[in-house]
Amino acid sequence: MAMTTTITTEGTTHGAALYRLLAWLSPAYPVGAYTYSHGLETAVEDASITTRAVLVDYVETVLLAGAGRIDGALLAAAWRAAEAGDDAALDAAALLAAAWRGTAETALESMAQGTAFTSVTQSAWPEPRFAAFAARHPRRLAHPVAFGAAAGFQGIPLRPALAGWLAAFAANLVSAGVRLVPLGQTDGQIATAALHPVVEAAADAALAADLDRIGTAAPMLDLLSMRHETQYTRLFRS
């Protein structure tokens, strides 16, 4: 029985679109997200993060005042450009995302995952407009832009795509914290549940963002990332 795509005016996702979104957000999708901690490893080594509550605070800061704030806005911009068929705006989002990284490791984190996402998505979920976009930016697509463009081209509504991507970003950091602190698996799920309103707030901010005026205000995250580059013992790539 063939699956169909049904999208309502409320932005809910059904059928093939929902299946694609769930597949792209699954930990099994081979983008390598599990290898990155976004500076969390250094914070744990400093004993700055020792409890579930502080881990939640860290991830909240990333989503609302750090990379999540920028990446959400970039994802939304890429989705809108793809959905409208505006190649110039889509290319502009890709170039801005490639430039907007505070440290070498956060650049690696975003670009390597974007490259992996682009490659596997073209193989498993081919779409000619996405292929043309990727060809214009070979191995230079940040993860949120690649994801947003793919969702826009393949009929996945913006709000579910955005909230889902941010939730997956948060879940990966929680998973890293569970391994590093360490915390129990139940603590990890409690942290994930506590972050739900944060993810929704981050999605709201991304939808309303103006890329000409957006910025971040979490310098400690960049400092932790820079220190991680020379951390002696590391489990993660960032």
Side-chain angles (χ1 to χ4, degrees), residues 198-221:
V198 178
V199 168
E200 295 295 343
D204 288 340
L207 290 172
D210 178 353
L211 286 181
D212 291 331
R213 303 180 63 183
I214 197 170
T216 60
M220 184 58 69
L221 295 176

Side-chain angles (χ1 to χ4, degrees), residues 78-236:
W79 186 97
R80 289 168 175 147
E83 196 271 341
D86 188 339
D87 287 348
L90 191 53
D91 290 343
L95 293 173
L96 182 59
W100 207 326
R101 293 297 159 206
T103 70
E105 288 195 350
T106 53
L108 171 66
E109 182 176 318
S110 183
M111 302 307 287
Q113 289 185 69
T115 297
F117 176 86
T118 299
S119 177
V120 69
T121 302
Q122 289 194 90
S123 296
W125 310 89
E127 207 288 332
R129 294 168 296 174
F130 184 70
F133 174 48
R136 296 196 302 271
H137 304 273
R139 302 183 68 83
R140 292 290 295 166
L141 288 179
H143 192 199
V145 169
F147 191 96
F153 283 134
Q154 300 214 28
I156 298 172
L158 175 54
R159 177 66 190 222
L162 178 58
W165 191 89
L166 290 167
F169 186 11
N172 183 68
L173 294 184
V174 169
S175 177
V178 166
R179 286 174 279 170
L180 287 166
V181 173
L183 299 171
Q185 293 297 327
T186 299
D187 276 327
Q189 290 306 307
I190 293 171
T192 298
L195 286 164
H196 175 227
V198 178
V199 168
E200 295 295 343
D204 288 340
L207 290 172
D210 178 353
L211 286 181
D212 291 331
R213 303 180 63 183
I214 197 170
T216 60
M220 184 58 69
L221 295 176
D222 288 339
L223 291 172
L224 289 169
S225 176
M226 287 187 284
R227 288 180 51 214
H228 189 266
E229 295 176 23
T230 57
Q231 189 168 321
Y232 181 72
T233 302
R234 304 192 305 177
L235 297 176
F236 294 86

